[in-house]
Amino acid sequence: MFNLDDCIAFITNRSAKIFAEELEKDFRPYNMTRSQWIAMYYIYTSESITQRELANKMCIKEPSVVRLLQKLESEGFLNRSGIHTDKRVKRLELSEKGVQVYLDLLPVAEKFKDDTIASISEDDLQTFKNVLNIMVSNALKERA
């Protein structure tokens, strides 16, 4: 018989929501949301990234990423520019202020990660990541 509380997809979804809420709390004193910081992470760590690519990396719809970027831009954290071959495609780059805020919050994110994996062996963490990747791959194959 199906038991939702024993379903790995439900357990990981519930866990992800808890992690998101807790990280959001850690960023709140800095007037930064988890989604804003994640966007800044991908922009900072990408040599070149477009709005569409960012939306794909963050697994959110383009209209949502546009609103997120508008907020970052209005705060002075982000610069958007059209590329010469297609002005509709926007390249994203953190401003100096954005880079500084990103780097200031990096230790907060690192501490959060370290706290969540405390007392878990490297082997167990790698096994967990491998199993999740296989499950995602299986889910995508089944839906194709």
Side-chain angles (χ1 to χ4, degrees), residues 73-128:
E73 195 171 35
S74 73
E75 296 286 334
F77 300 143
L78 175 73
N79 299 315
R80 289 191 276 185
S81 60
I83 61 172
H84 55 57
T85 56
D86 187 347
K87 296 295 182 200
R88 296 170 297 172
V89 176
K90 301 293 184 192
R91 291 266 177 232
L92 309 173
E93 180 180 67
L94 295 182
S95 65
E96 280 186 40
K97 180 180 177 183
V99 168
Q100 190 58 56
V101 168
Y102 165 77
L103 293 174
D104 288 347
L105 289 174
L106 188 56
V108 175
E110 288 176 337
K111 182 181 182 324
F112 179 81
K113 179 196 67 117
D114 291 343
D115 290 348
T116 60
I117 63 171
S119 75
I120 302 172
S121 75
E122 228 12 83
D123 285 345
D124 284 347
L125 285 171
Q126 194 56 53
T127 298
F128 177 70

Side-chain angles (χ1 to χ4, degrees), residues 11-38:
I11 293 168
T12 55
N13 183 55
R14 182 179 61 207
S15 301
K17 287 181 179 186
I18 291 168
F19 295 148
E21 289 170 8
E22 292 304 309
L23 185 57
E24 196 78 40
K25 288 178 192 175
D26 289 350
F27 284 151
R28 197 169 292 136
Y30 303 93
N31 294 318
M32 179 68 54
T33 67
R34 173 187 56 85
S35 294
Q36 289 170 336
W37 188 84
I38 291 170

